[in-house]
Amino acid sequence: MARFIFITGGVVSSLGKGLASAALGSLLQARGYKVRLRKLDPYLNVDPGTMSPYQHGEVYVTDDGAETDLDLGHYERFTGVAATKGDNITTGRLYLDILTRERRGDYLGATIQVIPHVTDAIKGFVLNATDDVDFVLCEIGGTVGDIEGLPFLEAIRQLGNELGRDRSLFIHCTLVPYIAASGELKTKPTQHSVKELRSIGIQPDIVLCRSDREIPAEERRKIALFCNVRPSSVIQALDVGTIYEVPLSYHAQGLDDEVLATFGIESKGEPPLEKWKTIVKRVKEPEGEVKVAIVGKYTGLKDAYKSLNEALAHGGIANNVRVNTEWLESEIFEEPGHIQHLEDVHAILVPGGFGERGTKGKIEAVRFARTRNVPFFGICFGLQMAVIEAARNLVGLEGASSTEFGPCKNPVVGLMTEWTRGNTLERRQVDSELGGTMRLGKYPAHLTPGSKVAEIYGTTDIEERHRHRYEVNVEYREALEKQGFIFSGMSPDGVLPEICERHDHPWFIGVQFHPELKSKPFDPHPLFASFIKAAVTQSRLV
C-alpha cells in the first residue's frame, strides 16, 4: 500500500523542490523502497509543449510521448524510474478533461465546481496507478499563496485526511535568507510561509530550509517552535558544489530518517550511497577537463537545455573529466570574424530548436566542425543543420533548405505526413494543432552494422525519444552519401533517417532524437560518453 509525500514550496520559487523530490526519492530507493514521482503544475497551459523555453525551460519528453515539466528529468536522472504521461498534470489539462466530459453530458446536468469536481480530478490523478509502489512523491509547482495553486493545495489537504497520518506526509520547502547588512539569517519568511500553508488547512510534517550557510541550532529550534514541528523535522537544505551531492547532503541532515520516523517505519541502518559518492568525487576531482561549445538559440537561459547540460556532465563523469560548456548564441556566427569563438574549443554541439532564426550561424558552426576536424554532435535540429550544410557545400544543391522556413528548391528537410510505428500507420497534417504535428516519445531505429554509432551503442537496434515536426528527406540520401554523409540509422521501415555520420572525420554524428533525455549520472548515455571521449582526444591535439 503506497504512502504519499507531498512537497510544497513557499517564500520564493526556484528553491529546488524538484531536486528535493528527486533526491528524497533516490534515498528511499537506496533503502530498498519502490518509488514514483509526480508533478502537479498550476499553470493553465495544457502542457509545456507550446511554451517558450525562456518562459518555462526545456520540455521533457517521456517514452510514451508526453511533453512534461523539466523536473521530471530530475526525477528520472536521480531514480532511474521512467516517467509517463500519468506523472505530470496541469490546470489546463484538468480543465480540458473536465469540460470535455461536461460537454458529453458525463456529469448528468450537475453544476461543475472547483470543489468537488476539480479537486476530485486532482486526487484521482495522484492516486492513479500507485498500487505497485511503496512511496509516491508529489511535487506541487509554484508557491503557497499563488491563486492558481489553491485547488491543488485543497486537493492534497483532502487527501491528507482521507489517507490518514500513516499514509500521508507534507514537506514544505522555504527560504532562510542571510541579510548581509545585519549579518543575520532570518527565519520570519519561513514562519509566514508555514502560517499561510496552515491557514489552508495543511500542517507540514517537515520543513526543508534552503540556505547558503549553516542555520544555527537556536534558529532551527525557533523555526520548529513557530511552525509547530519537532526540532528534528527542521532540515537544512544547504548549497552544495554539484546537484548530485544533494542526496548525500540531505541524508547527512537526516531527511530520509525523519520521513521514515514520521511514517512510523523503523530505519534499517545506513542506505548504500556509494554510487553517489563516486559520482560526486568524479565531478569534484576530475583528472582533466575539456571545453565544449554549444551553439544554440536559447542560450540566455540554461534551463532551456537542462537535460543536455546534465548529459554532457554525465559524459564527463564517464571519462573522469570536467566538461566546461561555452554557450554561444548562433546568430553571432552570421557576422564576419565571429567564427574565431570556436578556435579553442575541443568539441561543438548544435542542439534542438525551432524556427529559422539563428540557422545561418548554426550551419556555419557545422561547417567549421566538418572542415577543421573538430568533434561534432548535432541533436534533432542540429542534425538537420548538418544535412543542409552538406547539401549546400558538398553536394552543391542550390536552395537546399527546410520547408520549415518556407518553400525551397531542394527540400532536404521537410514535413513527413505519414510513417509506421510498429504495426500502426501514423499521420500528421501541416495545418494540425502544434501538438498534433510532433513525432513524440520513444521510437525504434535500426543501425548499420559496422557503423560508428553501432560500435558506440554496442547493438544495431535502439529506441530513443523524439520531439520534432520535420524530418530529413530520404530522397536525397544517395546524393549525400556520395559525399561521405552516411545515413547510419534509419526507422525500421526505412523511411525516416534517424542518424547520420561521417567516416572521414574523427567524430561527426547527427541524430534526429534527443539522447540527452535518457542519460543518467550513474548510467551516462553512450553517445555523450563517446562524444566527450572524442573531445578529450581533441584536447591533446589543440
Side-chain angles (χ1 to χ4, degrees), residues 20-174:
S21 303
L24 177 57
S26 70
L27 289 172
L28 293 171
Q29 197 177 54
R31 290 180 177 274
Y33 297 105
K34 192 174 181 180
V35 301
R36 174 135 236 115
L37 290 94
R38 288 181 166 159
K39 177 74 182 286
L40 314 179
D41 277 309
Y43 52 75
L44 281 170
N45 302 70
V46 173
D47 58 46
T50 56
M51 295 168 69
S52 167
Y54 287 120
Q55 288 271 327
H56 192 263
E58 77 167 0
V59 175
Y60 191 80
V61 179
T62 60
D63 280 343
D64 56 2
E67 293 179 289
T68 69
D69 185 82
L70 63 81
D71 277 330
L72 271 73
H74 289 313
Y75 304 163
E76 282 202 19
R77 284 188 287 272
F78 276 70
T79 67
V81 177
T84 70
K85 291 181 179 179
D87 293 325
N88 189 205
I89 194 74
T90 69
T91 298
R93 171 58 66 186
L94 284 167
Y95 276 99
L96 180 63
D97 292 345
I98 290 169
L99 293 175
T100 300
R101 294 177 62 191
E102 187 272 336
R103 292 290 85 189
R104 284 201 310 256
D106 292 0
Y107 293 105
L108 302 177
T111 301
I112 310 304
Q113 297 176 292
V114 172
I115 302 173
H117 298 97
V118 175
T119 51
D120 282 353
I122 295 169
K123 290 190 291 184
F125 167 79
V126 171
L127 297 172
N128 184 51
T130 57
D131 292 337
D132 63 339
V133 297
D134 300 306
F135 290 98
V136 180
L137 288 78
C138 290
E139 176 195 349
I140 291 79
T143 58
V144 171
D146 295 343
I147 292 174
E148 60 266 29
L150 290 175
F152 291 94
L153 296 174
E154 170 61 20
I156 65 172
R157 182 197 67 79
Q158 293 178 19
L159 275 175
N161 288 332
E162 294 166 11
L163 293 168
R165 298 294 301 156
D166 60 335
R167 291 189 60 204
S168 63
L169 181 150
F170 295 91
I171 297 177
H172 191 53
C173 302
T174 70

Side-chain angles (χ1 to χ4, degrees), residues 228-247:
N228 195 32
V229 298
R230 298 190 302 264
S232 62
S233 293
V234 178
I235 306 294
Q236 299 181 97
L238 302 174
D239 291 352
V240 290
T242 168
I243 61 171
Y244 301 119
E245 198 173 354
V246 174

Side-chain angles (χ1 to χ4, degrees), residues 319-379:
N319 291 279
N320 205 9
V321 296
R322 177 179 291 112
V323 178
N324 298 315
T325 53
E326 183 170 357
W327 299 81
L328 299 172
E329 187 71 30
S330 58
E331 287 181 290
I332 69 171
F333 298 116
E334 297 176 10
E335 299 296 329
H338 287 288
I339 204 71
Q340 65 186 6
H341 288 290
L342 300 175
E343 291 285 352
D344 63 341
V345 303
H346 305 133
I348 298 170
L349 189 150
V350 176
F354 296 93
E356 188 173 9
R357 181 179 69 83
T359 55
K360 291 180 181 178
K362 291 182 180 183
I363 290 171
E364 284 304 309
V366 175
R367 184 175 186 175
F368 180 91
R370 177 178 62 80
T371 59
R372 300 287 287 273
N373 283 334
V374 178
F376 170 80
F377 196 0
I379 295 176

